[in-house]
Amino acid sequence: MSAPLTSLHRCCQRSALLLHVARQRWSSSSASPPPLHTRLLLFLTQRFYDVEMLLSWRSQLTRNQLQKKNAYYGYTQRFYGLDLASAYFILSLKGGFRFAGQSEWFYADQKGKFSWDFLNHKDTLLEEVDMSYTVINYRGLCNLEGQRSLRTLKLRGCPEVDDWLLARLHVFQDSLEDLDISHCPRITTGGLAALRNLKGLKRLDVSSLPGILSPGLVIILLEEMLPQCQITATGYDYSLNDAQGEEEEEHMQRQR
Amino acid sequence: MSAWRLRVKLRSATGLLVSTRPTQRHTSPYGPLTLCRSLSTGSHLRNEFFKDLEAQLAAFRKKAADALPGSSWSPLQINPNLPPERADIVIVGGGVLGWSIAYWLKQKEMVRGGVRVLVVEKDPTYSQASTVLSAGGIRQQFSLLENIHLSLASADFMRNINEHLGVLNEDPVDLQFNQSGYLFLASEEVAHIMEENYSTQRYAGAKVSLLSPTQLKQKFPWLNTDGVVLASYGLENEGWFDPWTLLNAFRRKAISMGVIQCCGEVTDFKYTTDVLRTASGDTVDLKRIGSVKVQMPNSLEYQPVECAIVVNAAGAFSGKLTEMLGIGSGPKDSIAGIPLPVEPRKRYVYVVHCPDGPGLDSPFLIDYSGVYFRREGLGGNYIAGVSPEEAEEPDTSNLEVDYQFFEEKVWPCLAHRVPAFEKLKVTSAWAGFYDYNTFDQNGIIGIHPLINNMYLATGFSGHGLQHSPAVGRAVAELILDGNFKTIDLSNFSFRRILTQEPMLEINIV
C-alpha cells in the first residue's frame, strides 16, 4: 500500500524537525558554546527590559500558535459529529488515519492539503491513527477522546508529547493494542509508569527516548508491568560505560 | 659612596621594572655574584612598593570609580542582607506556599512594579520546612469539592509549568512527576464513604475509578486483597513529584519578576488598635499592622519593614506568629480568646528497600488502616509511613526519628497488605512537620477577623504542597481583586472557627 511509502517519505522530511528539537532539548547540557547571535541576544536580554520583553513575546507567540493548533474542535463536533471532528483534527495537524472497516488511509501531505473524501464516511469510528511528527499535545488529545475503538496510535517523534499525554491515554485502555512513542524527546520514566492502565496493549515501541536515564532497567520494569505486550526498544546504548550516555545508533533489538 | 648607592638605586629600579618575575625570590639586583644580602631597609621597602604597584593602581582605580557619581559606595557600612524599609506586602514564610503567593501576586499585578513583595524566610537551608520534607504526592481523591478543585487546578498548573514558571534563557523546569496515581483501599465499614466520595470526585471532574477486589487482584497481583471491599484508583493527574524543584521554580520565577527575598525572622509587629464597642457593651480590639520587625539570623540587628499587608504563610509555625499579635490571649469567651488552631505535628517517613516489591505500576497506596507507601526511584526503594493516633503524637521539639514506631505500627500493616514487604530493610528515615489544623485538618485562607491586614494561608495538615499553586492564586486574587475569582474558597475562611462549624474531610482514613 502507499501508506508505508508515504510514512517513510514523511519520516525523512521530518527528521530535520526532530534533530532541531533534540538540539533544543539538550542545549543546556551540550558543551559547545552557543552561536554568536544567541550570545548577543542573551547579552542584550540581561541588560535591557525591552529586549527581554520582545523575546518573551516571541516565545509566548509560538506557544499560542501551538495551543491554537491543538484547540478543541467544538464547532466541528457539533455540526459533523464526533468522528468527523476527530478526523478533521488529525488531518489539520498533518497526520493520517484509517476508519474502522475501511482499508485505505487518509493522509495530509507536506503542505497540509488533504482530500475531503473522508466526509463521506459519517459516524464511522477511527481504528488506526498516525500522528507521527505532528505537534499534538495534551490539549489536542481531547479531540480524539471519543474514539473508543482506537487500536493503533502512532506518536513517533512528536516534540510536544509528554508524560501528561501518556497519562491521558487511559481513555483508550479497552481498545488500544499498538502504541508507538519512540523518539519523543519529552517523555520520561514517570510518564511510562502511566502506561500501566493500558492492559490490552500488544505492541509498544519505546525506542530512542532521550528523556529516559537508565533505559535498560526501565525496559525491564515495563516488561514486568505489561506482561502481554511486545516491547520494542532500539536505539539505546546498553554499554556499561556511564560517561557515554545514549547515542542515536542501532544496537540491540529487545523483543520477547 | 653616595654615587655608588645612587647606581644601586637605579639598577634596582630598572632591574625590577624590566624583569617581571612571578616568583618572589629575594635576590639582590646584582644577580648571583653577591655574597651578602642588601642591608638597606630603604631599598627593601621600595622593592615591595613596586611589587605592589599593580595592586595599588587597581585599588586607586576602584576608589576613583567609587568617588564618581553613579557608584553605590557610601561611608556608612550598611548590611546588604537587610530587607527594604518599606514593602507593600510582606509574606512571612518562604515555603512553597509563600513563594507561590509571591509569584501569583507578581503575575496578577497590572503594571510592572505595581506591588512590592517581600518574602521573609528564617531558615534558608529549609532544614525544618514542611515543603522539602514532604512525600510530594498530589491526588484528587478528597471529599470536599473545594479540595478536589484545588487539586485539579494545581495539576493543571504543573502540567503547564514551563508556561507559567519558565524563565527566559534558563533551563526548563522538570518536576519529575510520576504519573502513577493513588490507590485507596476501603474495608466493609467505610466502603459507603468511598462510594459517596467517588461520585463527588466524578462530579468535580476528577478521573477516578472504583475497583472491586477481583479487578484489584488482576491489576496488582502483588496486593493482598484480604479485608478490602472496594478500592478507588486515580487514573490521571495523580502521582508524586519533587517538592524542592517546585519550590525553586516558584522562587526563581518570582525573583525574576522582582520579588525581594530576605533571610530573617519576624519577631515583632508594630500595630495600631481601634477599640470598638458592641451593642452589649463589650469591647473589640481591631488591630492594623503598621510594620514588621525582621531580625537578622544570629544577630541582634533588625529592620522594621513598613507594610500594608502581611501574609501568614509560616506553615507549622503560624500559631507563634499570631500569638505575637495577642490572638488567643484575650478573655476566653471573646473572639480575641480564640487562638489560631495551627500547630506543628511530627510525622515520620521511612525509606525501605525491598528487592521483590511492586514494580513500575505501583501507585501511592493508602490502606484503610492509615498506612501508606509509594515507590521511590527504580531500584526497589519505597517510602512508607502512617499518621499516628491523637493520643500518641510524638514530641515536636525536634525532628528525631523513632524507628520503634515503624516496627510497631507501620511494618505489620504493610506486610499484611503487600506480602513481599515481609522481607524489607529500613535504609533511612526522616521526620517533618505538618502544619496541623487542630480544628478540622483543612486549610485556613482569608483575613483574620481581628487583624485587618493579615491574610492567613496555613493549616493545610499535609495537603499544602499539592494545593500550593491554586491556593497561591486564590490568595493573590483575594489581595489584589478583593475576592476569589477562579475557585471559591470562602468556606475555608477563619469564620468557621469562630462559629465552630468544622469543614471535615470525610475520608476513609
Side-chain angles (χ1 to χ4, degrees):
Chain A
M1 295 303 291
S2 61
L5 279 174
T6 22
S7 82
L8 187 66
H9 172 73
R10 285 158 73 239
C11 176
C12 298
Q13 299 271 329
R14 268 108 197 227
S15 61
L17 168 70
L18 201 62
L19 279 173
H20 171 67
V21 159
R23 249 206 314 273
Q24 265 179 349
R25 176 88 180 147
W26 293 104
S27 61
S28 56
S29 57
S30 62
S32 61
L36 180 64
H37 63 273
T38 321
R39 276 184 286 153
L40 177 67
L41 271 178
L42 184 64
F43 177 83
L44 290 175
T45 313
Q46 284 166 350
R47 282 155 183 80
F48 297 104
Y49 279 130
D50 314 316
V51 179
E52 188 190 8
M53 175 132 319
L54 285 172
L55 288 181
S56 58
W57 280 356
R58 188 175 75 170
S59 57
Q60 184 78 30
L61 205 67
T62 33
R63 261 206 301 268
N64 284 353
Q65 280 169 349
L66 185 70
Q67 294 294 61
K68 268 205 198 108
K69 283 208 181 115
N70 280 297
Y72 176 58
Y73 280 48
Y75 284 125
T76 330
Q77 265 188 22
R78 194 144 55 107
F79 294 126
Y80 291 93
L82 216 57
D83 308 310
L84 285 181
S86 308
Y88 181 49
F89 167 71
I90 295 170
L91 290 172
S92 319
L93 248 60
K94 302 188 191 153
F97 62 90
R98 183 175 72 77
F99 280 118
Q102 309 279 328
S103 61
E104 53 156 336
W105 281 74
F106 290 90
Y107 268 106
D109 71 351
Q110 268 292 65
K111 296 209 181 77
K113 286 216 176 74
F114 50 87
S115 78
W116 294 88
D117 293 339
F118 70 94
L119 285 175
N120 302 336
H121 308 277
K122 238 181 163 237
D123 292 326
T124 336
L125 290 169
L126 302 178
E127 205 166 47
E128 297 192 27
V129 170
D130 181 2
M131 302 281 294
S132 308
Y133 305 103
T134 59
V135 289
I136 186 170
N137 70 6
Y138 177 90
R139 269 188 75 181
L141 199 66
C142 65
N143 286 317
L144 291 177
E145 256 178 22
Q147 304 304 319
R148 300 293 159 173
S149 71
L150 190 68
R151 283 232 302 261
T152 310
L153 184 58
K154 288 197 181 44
L155 295 170
R156 191 183 161 90
C158 295
E160 301 292 327
V161 162
D162 58 4
D163 299 342
W164 298 88
L165 192 146
L166 288 187
R168 203 165 205 188
L169 290 179
H170 73 84
V171 295
F172 305 127
Q173 64 185 351
D174 302 318
S175 59
L176 197 64
E177 283 173 15
D178 189 341
L179 181 63
D180 180 359
I181 46 173
S182 53
H183 298 91
C184 294
R186 281 189 166 191
I187 294 183
T188 64
T189 323
L192 292 178
L195 297 176
R196 68 193 184 285
N197 288 319
L198 304 170
K199 284 297 180 187
L201 205 60
K202 295 214 178 73
R203 279 174 303 280
L204 176 65
D205 191 345
V206 283
S207 316
S208 307
L209 292 175
I212 299 187
L213 294 173
S214 33
L217 182 55
V218 172
I219 305 298
I220 293 174
L221 290 170
L222 262 181
E223 285 173 5
E224 273 177 37
M225 187 169 89
L226 300 165
Q228 273 100 35
C229 183
Q230 193 186 356
I231 299 183
T232 319
T234 60
Y236 292 117
D237 182 14
Y238 290 121
S239 65
L240 290 171
N241 189 2
D242 309 354
Q244 278 180 3
E246 290 121 43
E247 285 152 51
E248 297 274 359
E249 288 163 32
E250 299 290 319
H251 273 254
M252 286 157 53
Q253 195 97 8
R254 283 181 67 93
Q255 275 180 356
R256 274 169 53 118
Chain B
M1 210 45 198
S2 57
W4 173 77
R5 211 177 260 174
L6 193 63
R7 249 179 284 136
V8 164
K9 271 192 233 168
L10 279 170
R11 263 213 216 153
S12 70
T14 47
L16 279 164
L17 280 174
V18 162
S19 66
T20 49
R21 268 195 300 246
T23 52
Q24 299 286 320
R25 286 170 59 213
H26 291 284
T27 53
S28 88
Y30 287 118
L33 290 174
T34 44
L35 297 165
C36 61
R37 284 197 334 226
S38 129
L39 293 168
S40 143
T41 51
S43 75
H44 202 55
L45 281 170
R46 275 196 302 278
N47 295 352
E48 282 187 357
F49 174 77
F50 279 114
K51 275 172 199 162
D52 291 334
L53 197 61
E54 287 304 318
Q56 298 266 356
L57 278 174
F60 174 70
R61 258 177 271 140
K62 186 171 180 308
K63 241 184 223 174
D66 282 342
L68 286 171
S71 77
S72 57
W73 180 85
S74 92
L76 310 164
Q77 296 287 316
I78 313 171
N79 184 352
N81 302 325
L82 285 177
E85 285 173 13
R86 262 169 230 96
D88 291 321
I89 304 177
V90 172
I91 300 176
V92 182
V96 71
L97 206 47
W99 280 110
S100 166
I101 297 172
Y103 160 73
W104 278 108
L105 281 169
K106 277 297 183 183
Q107 173 76 12
K108 285 179 70 66
E109 66 181 5
M110 292 291 148
V111 289
R112 185 201 286 274
V115 272
R116 197 152 191 229
V117 184
L118 171 73
V119 174
V120 181
E121 167 59 41
K122 78 171 179 212
D123 181 11
T125 60
Y126 291 96
S127 54
Q128 294 203 333
S130 315
T131 303
V132 297
L133 296 168
S134 136
I138 176 169
R139 60 176 162 111
Q140 277 85 45
Q141 298 183 46
F142 292 100
S143 67
L144 287 173
L145 264 180
E146 283 92 356
N147 275 335
I148 306 174
H149 284 309
L150 282 175
S151 270
L152 280 171
S154 299
D156 251 334
F157 183 89
M158 285 185 223
R159 190 182 319 129
N160 302 316
I161 194 158
N162 276 305
E163 209 176 285
H164 295 285
L165 301 183
V167 179
L168 202 59
N169 295 318
E170 296 270 344
D171 290 338
V173 182
D174 176 22
L175 278 182
Q176 291 157 45
F177 200 107
N178 269 281
Q179 309 268 358
S180 290
Y182 268 64
L183 181 67
F184 277 84
L185 301 175
S187 63
E188 187 78 52
E189 300 94 45
V190 291
H192 63 285
I193 303 178
M194 183 174 266
E195 280 176 30
E196 270 171 41
N197 289 351
Y198 169 74
S199 52
T200 323
Q201 287 149 20
R202 273 270 152 184
Y203 170 71
K207 309 279 192 289
V208 195
S209 65
L210 282 180
L211 299 172
S212 69
T214 31
Q215 286 171 325
L216 207 54
K217 197 73 197 175
Q218 215 180 5
K219 251 183 146 62
F220 306 110
W222 41 263
L223 195 62
N224 171 19
T225 52
D226 199 26
V228 174
V229 159
L230 195 60
S232 162
Y233 186 41
L235 295 167
E236 215 190 318
N237 291 335
E238 290 195 354
W240 59 87
F241 58 95
D242 181 22
W244 176 244
T245 314
L246 185 65
L247 174 65
N248 270 332
F250 270 127
R251 200 164 85 164
R252 184 182 75 171
K253 182 71 180 178
I255 291 182
S256 82
M257 290 164 112
V259 172
I260 306 163
Q261 179 188 16
C262 170
C263 165
E265 192 180 344
V266 172
T267 45
D268 203 5
F269 292 97
K270 264 211 174 64
Y271 52 87
T272 55
T273 319
D274 262 337
V275 180
L276 306 180
R277 200 169 280 277
T278 64
S280 48
D282 302 319
T283 54
V284 175
D285 283 345
L286 285 180
K287 298 193 168 82
R288 184 168 204 91
I289 298 174
S291 80
V292 177
K293 177 174 159 190
V294 179
Q295 182 119 15
M296 290 295 107
N298 299 325
S299 147
L300 286 176
E301 216 176 344
Y302 67 89
Q303 167 76 36
V305 180
E306 277 179 44
C307 56
I309 291 174
V310 172
V311 177
N312 186 351
F317 314 110
S318 327
K320 276 198 305 195
L321 206 67
T322 50
E323 264 172 35
M324 289 176 209
L325 285 157
I327 302 295
S329 46
K332 279 294 158 211
D333 55 346
S334 71
I335 301 180
I338 304 175
L340 185 68
V342 175
E343 62 180 37
R345 289 279 174 98
K346 190 156 81 165
R347 293 286 180 266
Y348 303 117
V349 176
Y350 303 94
V351 182
V352 300
H353 175 71
C354 176
D356 302 318
L360 201 60
D361 60 342
S362 81
F364 199 130
L365 191 132
I366 304 188
D367 189 38
Y368 52 85
S369 56
V371 171
Y372 65 84
F373 85 90
R374 73 153 168 91
R375 176 180 57 87
E376 170 67 32
L378 300 170
N381 294 311
Y382 303 89
I383 283 182
V386 76
S387 284
E389 303 281 315
E390 277 284 346
E392 297 164 356
E393 286 286 345
D395 173 39
T396 52
S397 58
N398 56 28
L399 283 178
E400 299 289 322
V401 179
D402 179 14
Y403 287 91
Q404 209 53 32
F405 183 78
F406 178 78
E407 300 205 4
E408 284 167 21
K409 297 280 190 303
V410 183
W411 201 353
C413 297
L414 216 55
H416 171 69
R417 193 48 65 203
V418 181
F421 280 158
E422 275 161 24
K423 296 193 272 297
L424 57 73
K425 195 167 171 172
V426 179
T427 46
S428 88
W430 70 80
F433 289 127
Y434 269 11
D435 48 343
Y436 195 79
N437 181 349
T438 45
F439 185 63
D440 56 7
Q441 291 90 57
N442 266 316
I444 306 175
I445 303 170
I447 305 186
H448 193 280
L450 290 183
I451 311 169
N452 277 340
N453 54 357
M454 174 178 262
Y455 285 79
L456 300 164
T458 175
F460 292 97
S461 320
H463 308 139
L465 175 68
Q466 57 184 286
H467 291 158
S468 58
V471 168
R473 185 178 59 181
V475 175
E477 284 169 2
L478 207 53
I479 295 176
L480 294 178
D481 297 335
N483 213 340
F484 295 112
K485 286 260 153 37
T486 40
I487 308 178
D488 185 14
L489 299 175
S490 37
N491 285 334
F492 281 161
S493 68
F494 194 84
R495 206 190 149 80
R496 71 186 198 268
I497 299 172
L498 298 176
T499 53
Q500 291 289 306
E501 287 164 12
M503 287 267 292
L504 283 164
E505 251 310 295
I506 317 161
N507 252 332
I508 56 162
V509 267

